[in-house]
Amino acid sequence: MHTTFRSSLFIVLLSFALISCAPDNSAPVDSGPLVRNIEEFNSAVTTLQPGDKIILANGTWSDVEFELKAEGLADAPIELTAEEPGKVIITGESNLSISGSHIVVSGLVFRDGYTPTSEVISFRTSNDELANNTRVTNTVIDDFSNPERQDSDIWVAMYGKNNRFDHNSLLNKGNKGVTLAVRMNTEASRENGHVIEYNYFGPRQTLGSNGGETLRIGTSHYSREYSNTVVRKNYFDRTSGELEIISSKSCGNTFRDNVFFESQGTLTMRHGHYTLVENNYFLGNRKPNTGGIRIINENQTVRNNYLYGLTGHRFRGALVIMNGVPNGPINRYDPVIDSAMNKNIVVDSDHIQLAAGADEERSAPPTGSSMHDNIIMTRTNLEPFTIYDDVSGISFEGNILNDEASVAIDAGFRYVPYSVVENEHGLRVPAMSLVGEIGFGEIKLPVTKDDTGATFYGKEESKKAFQSGQTIAVTSGTNTILEALDSSSPGDTLLLDNGGEYLLTKYASVNHPVTIKAESGEQPILRSEKSSFFIIENGGALELENVWIDGAASPDQPGNNVISTSRYSMNRNYSLVVRDSKVTNLDVNHTFDFLKVYRNTFADSIDILNTEMTNVTGSILSLDKETDDLGIYNVENLGIRNSRFTDIQGSVANIYRGGTDESTFGPIVVVEGNQFTNTGLGARNKSGASLKFHGVQKLDVSNSNWIKSAPIELYLTNGEPITMIKDVVMTDTGNIRANSDEYSTENVTYERALTP
Ligand code: CA
């Protein structure tokens, strides 16, 4: 391997020579020596010369920490690659760190494991040994997530200068921490000129706290330094970890020609100046919390971007210009100065927010800024602009708005008929005459999903939906459900007999999405002799449909439940649906809950639909286990609809999201069409409420009745929560309790008994 030849011809000839000397070596003829284990790797890296290759043998590499220090040359880089791209699978507690220069890494897959350090692929081997002029390409990190949900790590940490990260697939990060971070913690990593391009940033689940950014460049400490990183032609596919898809925290960065597909959150210029955001496409497709571009700081340019079907409000609006903190500390919001938001096209998106976030601290409105020649066509919200403070520091000129819509700014807007058609590229576009007027150019995705990511790695959906698989008939009897669960695959349906009796004498573990149901008709009855019927383990999700859950066979002890999450950290979000079902007799002892959740678990959604629950000594949904006031919580979307709750001693729902963090969308709650009778009044119900919502960001309660029940309790926190309670009747039930009057009510009736 002491190759010193510069000519590729000689390298090829040498490879032939090496292969002929080593009969075991089955590597393709154009490759260098194959290494088969970490010892061989460690030995190979000590002698690397420019032009050398290290080729990892196909197979599974478990618990390996690759450290590659090497000095290649521009025309003779050092390569680390796979025998065949995609066939080297790195698992267990593993990572890769690189330092030196002119190194190319390719063809690797990180899967089924996590890094024991805080970085999976690091462009440094120590604080002062960094990688420069180095490329990582055609590589995959898929769900290489720390099992501890709140243990933070970074999948790719770029240090040094002039590095290129391209054609990689990063998907399914489950734990906290930025997916890809450009670090600027030493001088040698600033003004770095990194290029991040043609990557596939695949689905990132809602984290339910801060720290779910997909891309971050810099940190607040170095945010007034230049990074000069270019992010172009990447595809962000449902990267919905938190409010910030991208958090640009340094100066001089460019974001051009990227596509954001159904991603919750925004491209945020959180810190730093002189950012260019150009020709990016945001396709919200009317999915919840989808956002666009948010300007903070000075000399930012946002132009020629296309934004469609974005529904996000407040900080995750389609276009947002923030208020700042005058002379604030470096980690707060700098005022917007001399920034431009011009020639953008916004179609059927709901919110454009100006001077957003204005409050006592963020009291400096934008100055010296412009909003020119934007086309805004919307029928989804006819008042798309929200103006929170003085916007005289923004000049408005040449903007075009459809004539049903309005904006409370006098000059700078022209009204035209709504004219949106689908163009030949399948995009919803305004009339071409208008597009031509602002000089936007062709409206076409600047990069497709297929153009991005590792060539060998698929982009198909990995998460199976309920009832998307096979149906397994389950005859009534003891533990027949357990046997069926064991043999089921993700998305399968267990079909029970109408009127059948099912007994569980063991815990039923739910390890993947599964539905347990009966056809319409008489409900089968399920009983359990254990303290839980079902345990949703990491990766599991459960749907119950047309079944009757009865607590009569449960052990005579306090603290039983029907459904429990794993008691350990779950780095995969779960969901729970209970539909057309009945729950009775959870009363063999006290504190018999319907659902018990543990810390470090997170539900994307919990839905109780058209279901009747009667006689419960505990609570139905206690989602209050994250008590550290860090903005962490247990459920994103909770829906309780068309259901009846009778004689429930605990609360029906109790959500807790404490702290002042502003980086999440949820919890989001809908309570609609229900009846609550004698609920929440048990002596052990510490909340003293039938429904308690602390820190819920969006709450809709409607068309419901309370009879002889504990009241609703609201604790409104920061983030401008939206709370509406309407068309409800409270009979012999206390008044709504709240810490603030910043909520809305409509048609709330209290009917009181004459005697208490
Ligand atoms: Ca954040």
Side-chain angles (χ1 to χ4, degrees):
M1 230 179 340
H2 297 267
T3 313
T4 51
F5 304 100
R6 301 289 159 76
S7 152
S8 57
L9 176 65
F10 280 116
I11 292 168
V12 169
L13 291 173
L14 182 66
S15 300
F16 273 115
L18 284 171
I19 288 163
S20 65
C21 299
D24 285 287
N25 194 323
S26 58
V29 288
D30 64 340
S31 61
L34 199 60
V35 304
R36 298 175 186 282
N37 54 49
I38 192 73
E39 290 75 26
E40 287 183 20
F41 172 86
N42 288 338
S43 145
V45 293
T46 58
T47 58
L48 289 170
Q49 299 294 321
D52 282 355
K53 262 189 184 183
I54 295 181
I55 300 169
L56 303 183
N58 287 351
T60 299
W61 292 67
S62 192
D63 300 325
V64 283
E65 294 190 71
F66 296 103
E67 188 179 83
L68 175 57
K69 299 184 191 181
E71 295 293 339
L73 296 167
D75 57 351
I78 288 166
E79 289 190 47
L80 170 63
T81 188
E83 186 179 354
E84 290 173 78
K87 296 203 173 159
V88 169
I89 312 294
I90 299 166
T91 69
E93 295 191 30
S94 299
N95 57 32
L96 165 66
S97 53
I98 319 159
S99 66
S101 60
H102 298 291
I103 302 164
V104 179
V105 174
S106 68
L108 310 181
V109 178
F110 290 83
R111 209 171 62 197
D112 303 324
Y114 62 98
T115 178
T117 63
S118 52
E119 292 163 355
V120 179
I121 297 178
S122 182
F123 283 69
R124 70 172 187 184
T125 55
S126 71
N127 275 342
D128 47 13
E129 295 171 296
L130 312 181
N132 297 300
N133 301 298
T134 285
R135 179 181 181 198
V136 173
T137 186
N138 209 28
T139 283
V140 174
I141 306 178
D142 185 357
D143 193 14
F144 208 67
S145 304
N146 193 297
E148 287 295 334
R149 185 180 183 91
Q150 293 297 335
D151 267 14
S152 184
D153 59 33
I154 295 172
W155 275 6
V156 178
M158 294 181 77
Y159 299 85
K161 296 193 187 196
N162 302 314
N163 296 318
R164 182 175 176 213
F165 187 79
D166 68 285
H167 295 91
N168 301 295
S169 297
L170 305 181
L171 57 164
N172 299 315
K173 193 172 201 291
N175 67 314
K176 186 175 182 168
V178 179
T179 309
L180 166 56
V182 173
R183 305 299 315 274
M184 297 169 64
N185 53 328
T186 61
E187 186 64 42
S189 293
R190 298 178 199 148
E191 299 182 37
N192 52 61
H194 297 326
V195 176
I196 297 167
E197 61 183 353
Y198 292 100
N199 297 293
Y200 175 68
F201 293 97
R204 180 150 191 191
Q205 67 182 9
T206 302
L207 181 63
S209 83
N210 194 12
E213 302 88 352
T214 294
L215 173 59
R216 190 186 71 205
I217 304 178
T219 54
S220 60
H221 299 289
Y222 312 107
S223 61
R224 285 163 194 168
E225 309 276 348
Y226 280 78
S227 185
N228 299 339
T229 298
V230 175
V231 178
R232 62 189 289 274
K233 303 258 181 191
N234 299 286
Y235 198 92
F236 293 83
D237 183 6
R238 292 163 290 161
T239 48
S240 301
E242 63 141 282
L243 175 63
E244 296 169 298
I245 303 166
I246 294 178
S247 189
S248 187
K249 293 188 162 181
S250 48
C251 299
N253 298 317
T254 298
F255 301 91
R256 179 186 288 130
D257 295 340
N258 300 288
V259 174
F260 297 83
F261 179 81
E262 296 181 4
S263 293
Q264 297 189 16
T266 64
L267 191 173
T268 299
M269 283 157 262
R270 182 67 187 82
H271 295 297
H273 313 307
Y274 296 96
T275 314
L276 175 60
V277 178
E278 182 176 45
N279 207 48
N280 299 286
Y281 280 56
F282 292 79
L283 308 177
N285 296 338
R286 305 293 304 160
K287 293 285 160 59
N289 304 315
T290 46
I293 302 163
R294 182 159 73 118
I295 293 186
I296 306 154
N297 308 292
E298 303 175 18
N299 291 287
Q300 314 289 38
T301 303
V302 174
R303 65 183 181 215
N304 222 83
N305 298 285
Y306 170 90
L307 306 103
Y308 168 72
L310 302 171
T311 63
H313 81 289
R314 197 166 177 260
F315 292 178
R316 68 288 270 183
L319 297 174
V320 180
I321 299 178
M322 293 279 292
N323 251 30
V325 181
N327 306 309
I330 198 161
N331 65 340
R332 295 304 297 153
Y333 289 79
D334 279 354
V336 173
I337 300 170
D338 296 343
S339 292
M341 195 169 251
N342 300 338
K343 296 182 191 260
N344 301 289
I345 294 178
V346 185
V347 178
D348 287 341
S349 295
D350 297 347
H351 295 286
I352 295 171
Q353 311 257 299
L354 304 179
D359 59 19
E360 266 179 36
E361 187 204 18
R362 287 181 291 232
S363 61
T367 55
S369 296
S370 62
M371 246 189 128
H372 295 177
D373 304 320
N374 298 287
I375 303 177
I376 297 147
M377 291 277 153
T378 175
R379 280 182 167 161
T380 56
N381 179 7
L382 297 181
E383 293 178 10
F385 284 81
T386 314
I387 298 163
Y388 293 90
D389 199 352
D390 176 18
V391 291
S392 62
I394 304 175
S395 79
F396 297 92
E397 282 174 26
N399 298 296
I400 298 168
L401 193 60
N402 57 302
D403 49 21
E404 305 100 314
S406 64
V407 52
I409 298 164
D410 292 337
F413 287 84
R414 183 156 62 88
Y415 294 86
V416 301
Y418 178 91
S419 62
V420 174
V421 294
E422 191 174 308
N423 75 1
E424 68 271 32
H425 306 299
L427 297 170
R428 305 274 299 161
V429 302
M432 285 316 291
S433 57
L434 299 173
V435 175
E437 233 178 271
I438 66 164
F440 189 91
E442 190 180 19
I443 302 179
K444 181 185 175 189
L445 293 187
V447 68
T448 69
K449 196 166 155 178
D450 288 343
D451 295 335
T452 61
T455 50
F456 55 82
Y457 210 73
K459 300 185 179 79
E460 61 275 5
E461 183 57 64
S462 60
K463 211 169 182 174
K464 285 281 189 294
F466 288 127
Q467 307 196 39
S468 64
Q470 307 291 314
T471 296
I472 301 171
V474 185
T475 52
S476 53
T478 300
N479 294 335
T480 49
I481 288 176
L482 278 178
E483 291 151 21
L485 272 177
D486 283 348
S487 65
S488 68
S489 298
D492 282 356
T493 300
L494 276 49
L495 186 65
L496 310 191
D497 294 337
N498 288 109
E501 292 198 22
Y502 293 82
L503 181 68
L504 298 166
T505 66
K506 300 174 190 171
Y507 294 122
S509 293
V510 177
N511 293 297
H512 48 244
V514 71
T515 299
I516 300 176
K517 66 179 270 191
E519 301 288 9
S520 58
E522 195 185 347
Q523 288 164 337
I525 188 162
L526 280 67
R527 296 191 180 94
S528 172
E529 295 181 353
K530 297 293 283 181
S531 58
S532 300
F533 286 55
F534 299 100
I535 299 176
I536 300 178
E537 301 288 358
N538 197 30
L542 179 63
E543 181 178 54
L544 298 174
E545 185 175 312
N546 197 39
V547 298
W548 177 4
I549 302 277
D550 183 70
S554 296
D556 184 3
Q557 61 183 27
N560 296 327
N561 53 70
V562 174
I563 299 162
S564 165
T565 66
S566 169
R567 64 178 63 239
Y568 307 108
S569 174
M570 293 169 70
N571 64 12
R572 295 181 187 174
N573 297 353
Y574 69 96
S575 55
L576 171 65
V577 180
V578 182
R579 179 185 291 120
D580 304 331
S581 291
K582 185 159 72 176
V583 174
T584 56
N585 301 321
L586 307 189
D587 65 346
V588 64
N589 204 309
H590 72 78
T591 322
F592 195 151
D593 294 333
F594 178 70
L595 173 68
K596 177 166 181 65
V597 305
Y598 286 86
R599 291 190 64 165
N600 298 315
T601 68
F602 190 78
D604 276 328
S605 59
I606 296 175
D607 289 286
I608 309 287
L609 309 164
N610 194 30
T611 285
E612 204 169 306
M613 299 200 185
T614 309
N615 209 7
V616 177
T617 59
S619 60
I620 305 302
L621 305 167
S622 280
L623 300 155
D624 60 346
K625 300 302 181 283
E626 302 291 354
T627 53
D628 288 342
D629 291 344
L630 297 171
I632 303 174
Y633 50 103
N634 290 120
V635 63
E636 184 72 359
N637 293 286
L638 171 63
I640 302 175
R641 293 181 169 89
N642 304 323
S643 293
R644 283 200 290 174
F645 301 90
T646 307
D647 301 333
I648 313 293
Q649 294 186 21
S651 57
V652 172
N654 182 3
I655 292 184
Y656 188 87
R657 179 193 183 277
T660 56
D661 179 71
E662 292 180 293
S663 36
T664 66
F665 309 106
I668 298 162
V669 178
V670 178
V671 177
E672 183 182 20
N674 305 291
Q675 183 165 307
F676 302 91
T677 306
N678 188 28
T679 60
L681 295 171
R684 286 192 165 84
N685 181 13
K686 288 182 201 127
S687 76
S690 55
L691 298 173
K692 182 173 178 183
F693 300 118
H694 183 121
V696 165
Q697 293 293 291
K698 190 162 193 307
L699 173 66
D700 277 298
V701 177
S702 65
N703 295 311
S704 295
N705 300 327
W706 276 254
I707 299 162
K708 288 187 178 165
S709 284
I712 300 177
E713 183 166 335
L714 306 175
Y715 193 95
L716 307 174
T717 58
N718 70 316
E720 298 164 36
I722 300 171
T723 306
M724 169 58 93
I725 300 177
K726 70 173 180 184
D727 301 325
V728 301
V729 180
M730 309 271 186
T731 305
D732 299 330
T733 296
N735 290 13
I736 297 167
R737 294 199 300 252
N739 67 321
S740 141
D741 56 8
E742 294 289 308
Y743 65 96
S744 309
T745 56
E746 208 178 290
N747 196 21
V748 173
T749 309
Y750 294 100
E751 293 178 353
R752 294 193 177 287
L754 292 175
T755 52

